[in-house]
Amino acid sequence: MDNIEALEKRLWGAADQLRANSGLASNEYFMPVMGLIFLRHAFNRFAKVKAEIEPKLPKRQGVPRTLTKDDFARKSAIYLRDEAQYPFLVALPEDKDPCVAVNKAMESIEEDYPVLNANLPKEYAKLDPGVLRGLLRIFNDQALNTTNGDVFGRIYEYFLMKFAAEKAHDGGEFYTPVSIVQTIVNVIEPDHGKVFDPACGSGGMLVQTSHFLEKVGKPAHEAVTFYGQEKNATTIRFTKMNLAVHGLEGIIKEGNTYYEDKHNLLHKADFVMANPPFNVDEVDAGKVKGDPRLPYGLSGVNKKGAVSNGNYLWISYFWSYLNPRGRAGFVMSSQASAAGHGEKKVRQKIVESGDVDVMMSIRTGFFYTRTVPCELWFFDRGKPKEKRNKMLMIDARNIARRMEGSRRVWEFSPEQQKNLTAIVWLYRGKTDRYLGLVKEYLRKVVEETGNIESKLKVFDEELAETRSTITGLEKGLTTAKATVETKKAFKEAMAEWDEAEALYKKDCSGLLKEVAGFRKKYGLNVPESNSGQLKMQKECEPVAEHIRGLVKQVDHLFKLSGKAIDAADAHRDNNEKNNGGKDDENNHHNNQRSERRKANQLRKDLDEVRKTANEQLKLVAYFDRQVHWLQSRFPDAKLADVEGLVRLVDAKEIAKNDWSLTPGRYVGVAPAEEDEDFDFEETMREIHSELADLNKEADRLAKTIQKNFEELGI
């Protein structure tokens, strides 16, 4: 996959250049472009699911039956007629009008999915046919051929953000990072009833719920009913498009949630999920005063008659929508968990309700267009009696990885999500799930060790071939007129390689014997008991340690091979210079370029197999590390306080701490951990990038504060 940020910029740059040359305004261009991204995303999902379905279709007289909409609905995808498939539109003959063709594609989708009626863009007649053909080609970028929905979500958001900057569309948050949504879903487990997002944006919360249901074997259209509310009519079109792409339907209504409950879901929702706008200070207090969704009252009103901060409006709404056994999970500014004055009073009442279940802090940088730190709040109105005054505090600010292809955006890896969820399982007494996850990791360790030998064999063969090519030069060393220095450098490089390779072969042989013994003992028969799993991990640890050491040796051998290639290249260069005259200078340069290309190819080929071998080795160590992460913190397979990570607190302690719900206030500071893959130079680049983002945010906040002071006459 291309660098995602570079891909987004490339797509936007090409599309915007086309718009500028066409003379169209941004607002004329906005919906047609977003419609093409929808079609491209829809086709990707369609093609993927079609490839899965077709081999399994029942046949009559050797002929498989025709694909249907239901086939795709069961796989959370949309069915597309031939004329709505992206390759068909890209390959239109020059004598066919693409504007008519794309409009017909949209119409055919609306015919098959009535819920999309009047929601898909059909303004393509406004575009010049040449401009539309250009757009179709732009979104046929090779990098998008196998791109998943998460990346398309980011591309949607990137284009929405860019169009908003050009006043083509109202700005705002449209897209919640997938790993955050998945974490929310994992904790509240929305597997039945009414699922409601009161600030639904592009519908990502509802889509991820469907993926969760698919994993637990419950078809979304049978298990739940999706409800969404969104104030922006255009954004609702995106919500419905996003649901349709995934073969889903929902009851999505236009309305400003601050003032309206369009679905009349007070005390009726089984699950509520949301990523609402933060720190809004323009809500009319007169309009919301006395709202039944605000049982704990307003948090404060400013001199303009507006609610001082809308965060606790949202928090109160989410709580009020839940039925007596309902659960909620939502994103909220870190400011809200410890805010004072009227907000503290509302927070106190919510804590005293006994429904606050889990609080989870996450680091900055998760949001694509927002840099402020956030927290995930979880309510559970059906908590058992013994947990009514207990709250689980998790500080996950040290748990994250950089998103692939980005230096600025962070996310939870799938395993980090699972590990955080495992903590919640232990809190809820679901020890079997925790042990099941550890078993899953240990099984992956055993499975992946089985691939080590074959990957190392390929590396060894490529290393031998590289060696053979380089050492062919030794035959000419005695007669060559190369300098003493180049001869010496070449011999020293080869001697260093010899020493390192001998040690590598010895350690590699020892590792493969250890792996064979480990696999023979366990196979895929991973213990199910905690004691058995602890014992297995203890026996696996030396293997994992040797694997980590071998990774460094493979890298070292690759560096030494490069050093030998450079030394051989220098020897050859001097040899040719000393054996030729001025008349041979051109020939010398040609030979030099040719040999340098060969040397670069040697490096490239060896580097490829090095990466493959080390990826396999690191995969084994990675899953071993996940097991160790869990077992070292929860050795008894029971919830325990872990410094800097998790602590179970009660309402009395929270009351003593000014009713703060900030996890870091309770869990303490995590001890420093050694990072085996630490890269100083890359880390410094990342720090500079992050600092630039924080400076921008600080500048924005300073301007907001200055504006507030001016309004207050200070």
Side-chain angles (χ1 to χ4, degrees):
M1 177 64 206
D2 274 19
N3 178 297
I4 298 172
E5 291 176 350
L7 173 63
E8 292 163 342
K9 291 175 182 176
R10 185 170 77 240
L11 294 176
W12 171 262
D16 194 48
Q17 184 179 30
L18 203 59
R19 177 199 63 78
N21 291 336
S22 70
L24 290 170
S26 293
N27 59 353
E28 296 174 293
Y29 205 57
F30 170 58
M31 280 307 295
V33 166
M34 300 310 292
L36 292 185
I37 297 175
F38 161 77
L39 281 177
R40 190 67 175 83
H41 185 189
F43 176 74
N44 270 35
R45 286 196 60 78
F46 168 84
K48 180 177 181 294
V49 171
K50 182 183 178 186
E52 295 172 3
I53 295 172
E54 282 188 323
K56 301 175 184 177
L57 285 173
K59 297 179 181 179
R60 177 172 293 180
Q61 296 180 342
V63 180
R65 71 160 172 78
T66 305
L67 289 165
T68 67
K69 281 172 51 181
D70 288 342
D71 292 323
F72 289 86
R74 281 190 287 270
K75 292 282 189 177
S76 298
I78 190 171
Y79 169 76
L80 297 173
R81 301 181 194 177
D82 291 346
E83 63 267 28
Q85 294 176 27
Y86 206 85
F88 172 86
L89 297 169
V90 173
L92 277 175
E94 288 296 322
D95 61 340
K96 299 292 183 182
D97 188 338
C99 305
V100 173
V102 176
N103 277 340
K104 284 184 176 180
M106 296 296 189
E107 289 167 0
S108 76
I109 295 172
E110 288 187 346
E111 286 175 17
D112 288 329
Y113 296 90
V115 70
L116 288 174
N117 278 345
N119 283 294
L120 297 186
K122 294 186 287 293
E123 302 96 331
Y124 292 95
K126 296 179 181 178
L127 299 183
D128 177 88
V131 170
L132 184 51
R133 285 186 192 278
L135 280 174
L136 286 165
R137 286 192 290 270
I138 287 169
F139 294 111
N140 199 42
D141 191 290
Q142 184 66 27
L144 295 176
N145 283 349
T146 57
T147 298
N148 61 33
D150 300 350
V151 173
F152 270 101
R154 286 189 60 188
I155 292 171
Y156 262 125
E157 185 198 35
Y158 184 81
F159 272 72
L160 287 167
M161 177 184 69
K162 297 294 285 187
F163 277 121
E166 296 195 2
K167 311 299 182 186
H169 181 58
D170 183 28
E173 291 292 342
F174 300 91
Y175 177 72
T176 308
V178 171
S179 71
I180 285 183
V181 182
Q182 289 171 338
T183 301
I184 290 173
V185 169
N186 289 343
V187 172
I188 68 173
E189 300 179 330
D191 61 355
H192 67 275
K194 297 179 175 68
V195 179
F196 180 35
D197 184 344
C200 65
S202 58
M205 297 274 182
L206 307 181
V207 168
Q208 290 304 321
T209 296
S210 75
H211 294 332
F212 169 80
L213 290 166
E214 188 177 342
K215 289 177 184 176
V216 299
K218 293 185 176 183
H221 65 280
E222 296 176 5
V224 300
T225 303
F226 289 131
Y227 294 86
Q229 186 164 313
E230 171 60 46
K231 70 176 182 178
N232 188 293
T234 302
T235 304
I236 287 176
R237 294 174 72 179
F238 291 126
T239 308
K240 293 185 175 181
M241 288 158 63
N242 197 13
L243 290 175
V245 161
H246 294 88
L248 304 170
E249 292 186 9
I251 305 169
I252 313 298
K253 293 188 177 181
E254 181 181 352
N256 188 330
T257 304
Y258 287 123
Y259 308 119
E260 303 170 287
D261 177 14
K262 288 287 189 176
H263 294 288
N264 189 29
L265 284 176
L266 186 67
H267 306 317
K268 296 177 183 176
D270 294 279
F271 300 95
V272 172
M273 293 180 290
N275 172 26
F278 296 169
N279 305 323
V280 175
D281 61 357
E282 299 175 354
V283 179
D284 189 327
K287 289 184 179 181
V288 298
K289 189 176 182 180
D291 191 311
R293 298 174 299 164
L294 299 172
Y296 305 126
L298 295 177
S299 57
V301 180
N302 62 27
K303 292 181 180 180
K304 296 189 296 182
V307 176
S308 302
N309 191 308
N311 290 342
Y312 275 87
L313 293 180
W314 287 110
I315 293 170
S316 297
Y317 293 162
F318 300 150
W319 183 89
S320 298
Y321 282 127
L322 295 175
N323 65 30
R325 298 197 61 78
R327 287 179 176 174
F330 53 92
V331 188
M332 185 51 62
S333 165
S334 291
Q335 173 186 332
S337 60
H341 306 295
E343 291 173 303
K344 183 178 75 172
K345 293 178 181 178
V346 175
R347 186 170 64 253
Q348 174 183 344
K349 292 175 182 177
I350 292 176
V351 170
E352 290 174 336
S353 75
D355 295 331
V356 180
D357 193 32
V358 180
M359 294 292 299
M360 186 183 298
S361 294
I362 60 173
R363 59 154 293 140
T364 59
F366 266 75
F367 284 83
Y368 199 48
T369 55
R370 177 195 293 163
T371 57
V372 295
C374 306
E375 272 148 7
L376 307 184
W377 291 51
F378 297 94
F379 294 155
D380 185 353
R381 299 197 66 182
K383 282 168 68 176
K385 186 177 180 180
E386 65 272 15
K387 286 191 172 70
R388 294 303 299 170
N389 74 331
K390 303 283 187 182
M391 281 141 278
L392 187 67
M393 297 289 175
I394 300 175
D395 190 343
R397 288 177 296 174
N398 294 319
I399 301 173
R401 69 174 183 185
R402 294 196 183 275
M403 184 176 287
E404 183 182 355
S406 173
R407 288 198 326 213
R408 296 186 301 107
V409 184
W410 291 78
E411 66 178 358
F412 292 133
S413 72
E415 288 70 37
Q416 287 170 336
Q417 290 177 48
K418 291 176 182 178
N419 295 345
L420 290 169
T421 306
I423 297 173
V424 179
W425 289 339
L426 291 176
Y427 159 64
R428 291 176 179 161
K430 299 184 182 297
T431 308
D432 57 330
R433 292 191 182 183
Y434 168 86
L435 293 175
L437 178 59
V438 175
K439 181 178 179 180
E440 176 188 323
Y441 288 153
L442 287 170
R443 182 183 290 269
K444 288 295 292 182
V445 168
V446 178
E447 287 176 352
E448 297 302 341
T449 54
N451 299 320
I452 288 177
E453 186 171 6
S454 61
K455 298 295 173 62
L456 287 176
K457 183 179 179 182
V458 175
F459 172 74
D460 292 346
E461 290 171 350
E462 190 67 38
L463 189 67
E465 186 175 339
T466 303
R467 167 104 188 200
S468 175
T469 304
I470 296 172
T471 54
L473 291 169
E474 287 183 302
K475 296 176 182 178
L477 280 175
T478 56
T479 58
K481 296 180 181 179
T483 64
V484 172
E485 289 79 8
T486 58
K487 289 181 182 180
K488 182 179 178 182
F490 181 81
K491 288 185 177 181
E492 286 178 349
M494 297 306 293
E496 196 175 0
W497 186 344
D498 284 339
E499 184 179 353
E501 188 169 1
L503 181 61
Y504 160 76
K505 287 183 176 180
K506 178 183 175 183
D507 290 348
C508 185
S509 176
L511 172 65
L512 293 177
K513 287 178 182 178
E514 287 182 342
V515 166
F518 181 74
R519 288 178 56 78
K520 183 178 180 181
K521 180 171 182 178
Y522 287 102
L524 295 180
N525 299 315
V526 178
E528 297 191 2
S529 68
N530 186 50
S531 59
Q533 291 177 352
L534 286 166
K535 181 182 177 183
M536 182 176 175
Q537 199 282 329
K538 189 175 181 180
E539 293 181 24
C540 178
E541 190 59 37
V543 178
E545 187 62 31
H546 291 169
I547 283 173
R548 285 188 277 269
L550 202 67
V551 167
K552 294 177 182 178
Q553 287 180 278
V554 168
D555 284 339
H556 185 54
L557 270 174
F558 173 69
K559 289 178 182 177
L560 291 180
S561 72
K563 186 177 179 180
I565 289 171
D566 290 339
D569 197 46
H571 156 66
R572 182 189 307 110
D573 188 19
N574 278 286
N575 186 28
E576 288 176 356
K577 282 182 179 178
N578 291 328
N579 275 313
K582 292 182 180 180
D583 294 338
D584 295 322
E585 189 172 343
N586 290 334
N587 186 49
H588 159 67
H589 287 304
N590 288 335
N591 288 338
Q592 188 180 31
R593 282 193 293 269
S594 175
E595 294 300 332
R596 202 171 296 279
R597 280 196 295 270
K598 289 179 183 177
N600 289 335
Q601 189 61 47
L602 278 175
R603 262 190 254 261
K604 183 178 178 181
D605 292 344
L606 186 59
D607 193 28
E608 286 299 315
V609 296
R610 175 196 66 85
K611 288 177 181 176
T612 302
N614 273 353
E615 282 170 6
Q616 184 59 48
L617 291 167
K618 288 178 179 179
L619 202 55
V620 176
Y622 176 77
F623 284 108
D624 171 75
R625 196 179 303 139
Q626 305 312 309
V627 178
H628 181 266
W629 193 93
L630 289 170
Q631 290 183 339
S632 64
R633 288 159 177 79
F634 311 104
D636 298 322
K638 293 179 181 178
L639 182 68
D641 292 345
V642 179
E643 191 76 13
L645 175 64
V646 61
R647 186 157 174 255
L648 189 62
V649 300
D650 60 26
K652 288 182 181 179
E653 185 173 358
I654 289 174
K656 290 179 182 177
N657 282 277
D658 218 21
W659 301 99
S660 170
L661 290 176
T662 303
R665 193 162 184 169
Y666 302 95
V667 305
V669 179
E673 292 186 27
E674 183 179 348
D675 184 357
E676 298 166 356
D677 302 316
F678 181 75
D679 184 327
F680 178 79
E681 292 183 3
E682 179 65 19
T683 300
M684 290 304 298
R685 284 194 293 269
E686 291 165 353
I687 289 172
H688 281 298
S689 176
E690 188 170 347
L691 182 61
D693 290 338
L694 290 173
N695 284 337
K696 289 179 184 177
E697 182 67 16
D699 184 57
R700 186 191 67 78
L701 289 173
K703 290 177 181 176
T704 301
I705 292 169
Q706 180 63 34
K707 180 183 175 184
N708 291 341
F709 279 156
E710 290 172 357
E711 291 176 350
L712 292 170
I714 298 174

